[in-house]
Amino acid sequence: MPDYTLLKILHMTAAALVIIGVLLSSFTVAKPPAAARLASIRRWDRFVTGPALGAVWILGIIIGLSGNWFSSGWLPVKLVFVLILSALHGMQTGGMRRLAQGEAVPAFLRFSPYIALVSIAAIVLLASAKPF
Amino acid sequence: MRLLRIVALIEGLSFLLLLFVAVPLKHLAGIAEPVLILGPLHGIAFLAYVRLVSRLAIEQDWPRRRALRLAAAGLIPFGALFALRSLPSE
Ligand code: HEM
């Protein structure tokens, strides 16, 4: 098993990419850009944000198990927000595909940046402060 | 939709094995390894399942009730597979 600190650093690096990517996609579905820009954002989503999210899940579960964090209070609460962020990212990926096909996205995706903001803030606060 | 069926199968199967095989093995026989393998697998599968339902719901313009029902079905062992049967076949 690789070093705990290394896995944690990789988890945080992948998390940084997820945060950037979800915010980028949030603004994209909230206020759709022109076709060329949409295409490059979709490529980023597919090749960077999506794989980074998968890596964050896997690395997070490994450090959660090896650090015995699943018996703490903050991790389950954080996972609720991880679930919300993951579902949001799924909706954004679907929404950007619709935009690329020239279709409209549901109006509530306008709230994407706010949902991302709240979930990201909650995740990072819980993971770093470990308040309970 | 094929992908959704595959992910739902992995999610449902890993949940079932976890609850009815791995957890009893751990607590009744003291064999912890199956939980350590199936637990993470099920965790990843559940996240992937909810993310995929969310994506398809937007991509294919599902009614919101159907998306919520499918996502919630992931919480019941094999619930996701049963819920999938209610989808219109393509
Ligand atoms: C399956 C999902 C996840 C699990 C099981 C998980 C688990 C963990 C655990 C156990 C730690 C604590 C490591 C330690 O302090 O030694 C941690 C730290 C962290 N996680 Fe996650 N995580 C997950 C998803 C995410 C996501 C989606 C993000 C952000 C988008 C994220 C961001 C962070 C950050 C920034 C830290 C470092 C906090 C700090 O030490 O200051 N995690 N995670």
Side-chain angles (χ1 to χ4, degrees), chain A residues 54 57 64 69:
Chain A
W57 291 345
W69 293 116

Side-chain angles (χ1 to χ4, degrees), chain B residues 1 53 60-71 86-88:
Chain B
M1 217 48 106
V53 167
Q60 303 176 359
D61 217 358
W62 291 355
R64 197 164 303 176
R65 279 186 55 121
R66 181 201 286 169
L68 288 175
R69 195 182 47 197
L70 275 184
S86 66
L87 291 179

Side-chain angles (χ1 to χ4, degrees), chain A residues 4 8 11-12 15 18-19 53 56-57 60-61 63-64 69-70 74-75 78-79 82 85 123-124 127-128 130, chain B residues 47:
Chain A
Y4 181 89
K8 182 176 159 177
H11 177 72
M12 291 167 72
V18 168
I19 293 168
L53 185 63
V56 164
W57 291 345
I61 288 179
I63 56 176
W69 293 116
F70 279 99
W74 63 271
L75 186 53
K78 169 175 154 171
L79 289 180
V82 171
L85 195 68
I123 289 171
V124 175
S128 52
K130 300 183 178 58
Chain B
L47 284 169

Side-chain angles (χ1 to χ4, degrees), chain A residues 5-115:
Chain A
T5 310
L6 175 64
L7 292 173
K8 182 176 159 177
I9 291 170
L10 291 176
H11 177 72
M12 291 167 72
T13 310
L17 293 175
V18 168
I19 293 168
I20 293 165
V22 169
L23 281 177
L24 177 64
S25 305
S26 288
F27 289 110
T28 306
V29 291
K31 198 168 184 308
R37 189 160 163 71
L38 177 66
S40 68
I41 293 173
R42 284 188 73 210
R43 265 199 307 280
W44 185 271
D45 187 70
R46 176 165 196 175
F47 293 111
V48 180
T49 315
L53 185 63
V56 164
W57 291 345
I58 294 171
L59 292 161
I61 288 179
I62 295 175
I63 56 176
L65 284 173
S66 45
N68 246 326
W69 293 116
F70 279 99
S71 50
S72 66
W74 63 271
L75 186 53
V77 181
K78 169 175 154 171
L79 289 180
V80 173
F81 288 101
V82 171
L83 191 68
I84 294 172
L85 195 68
S86 305
L88 178 69
H89 180 250
M91 289 189 253
Q92 294 173 339
T93 304
M96 289 194 292
R97 167 172 252 186
R98 284 183 71 91
L99 289 175
Q101 291 166 347
E103 295 161 15
V105 295
F108 71 86
L109 283 182
R110 255 176 245 279
F111 297 111
S112 254
Y114 306 103
I115 301 169

